[in-house]
Amino acid sequence: MVSSQHYENIRTNEIKRILPLIPKGSSILEIGAGSGWQTKILSEHGFDMIAIDVPESIDKTKKVWPVMEYDGFLIPFPDNHFDVIFSSNVLEHISHVKLFQTEIQRVLKATGIAIHLLPTGTWRFFTILTLRFLFHFFHEF
C-alpha cells in the first residue's frame, strides 16, 4: 500500500507547480476535493477557497477542510462566480466529462482559469507496476 506521506508529497508538489498560475486573491473552487487537503493548503496561501465532492468520496471521513457534497453534475454556484476552478486527478473519473466542462465554464468568470491536473500514461504505468510489485512482495510472506 502506498503511504499517505507519498500522496502528500505528490499533492504538495502539484500545489507548488500551480501557485505561479493563480492570481493573488483569487476565489477558487476545488472540484473533487476529497478530504480538502489541497484546499486547505491553497487557503494558507491566501486564496478564498470552496471545496466540493460527491457523497461517494472515499476521503470524506478524513476531512481537514469543509467539503460540500454535490451531485457530480450541477455545480451549486451561480454563473461567473469563481476566478479559478481547480481539480487534481478528478476529470479522468467523470463519465460525462464533456458535459461537465460546460458546467465548469458556467461557474467560471469570463477572465477566469481552469487548472486540471491529470495522471499521465507514464504515471499510470509506473503506479500499476509498483502496486503489483508490492502486492506480490507482501503476499509472499
Side-chain angles (χ1 to χ4, degrees):
M1 181 146 219
V2 180
S3 75
S4 62
Q5 184 61 50
H6 177 71
Y7 282 121
E8 284 184 18
N9 290 341
I10 290 170
R11 301 299 179 237
T12 300
N13 187 46
E14 290 175 349
I15 296 296
K16 285 179 185 176
R17 289 178 179 262
I18 67 165
L19 278 174
L21 304 173
I22 304 173
K24 291 195 183 301
S26 290
S27 62
I28 303 175
L29 172 66
E30 182 179 1
I31 298 170
S35 68
W37 194 83
Q38 285 182 306
T39 306
K40 182 177 182 284
I41 299 300
L42 286 166
S43 76
E44 292 168 358
H45 284 276
F47 300 110
D48 180 22
M49 298 299 303
I50 294 181
I52 61 174
D53 207 338
V54 293
E56 303 84 36
S57 172
I58 60 172
D59 292 323
K60 72 190 267 180
T61 59
K62 303 172 190 169
K63 288 185 183 173
V64 297
W65 184 268
V67 179
M68 177 189 305
E69 290 185 353
Y70 81 116
D71 66 8
F73 289 87
L74 300 175
I75 298 172
F77 294 95
D79 296 357
N80 305 308
H81 192 74
F82 295 99
D83 299 308
V84 177
I85 306 287
F86 168 68
S87 72
S88 173
N89 296 277
V90 172
L91 293 186
E92 71 273 17
H93 299 287
I94 299 175
S95 61
H96 58 283
V97 72
K98 286 186 180 182
L99 181 62
F100 195 67
Q101 289 295 324
T102 302
E103 183 64 2
I104 288 170
Q105 289 175 347
R106 180 187 67 77
V107 298
L108 188 62
K109 291 179 181 177
T111 58
I113 60 171
I115 301 171
H116 300 291
L117 305 174
L118 298 159
T120 65
T122 304
W123 181 88
R124 288 274 188 217
F125 175 73
F126 284 109
T127 301
I128 290 168
L129 283 181
T130 302
L131 290 176
R132 285 190 179 172
F133 170 77
L134 291 173
F135 176 79
H136 290 297
F137 179 77
F138 286 111
H139 280 79
E140 302 244 336
F141 290 99

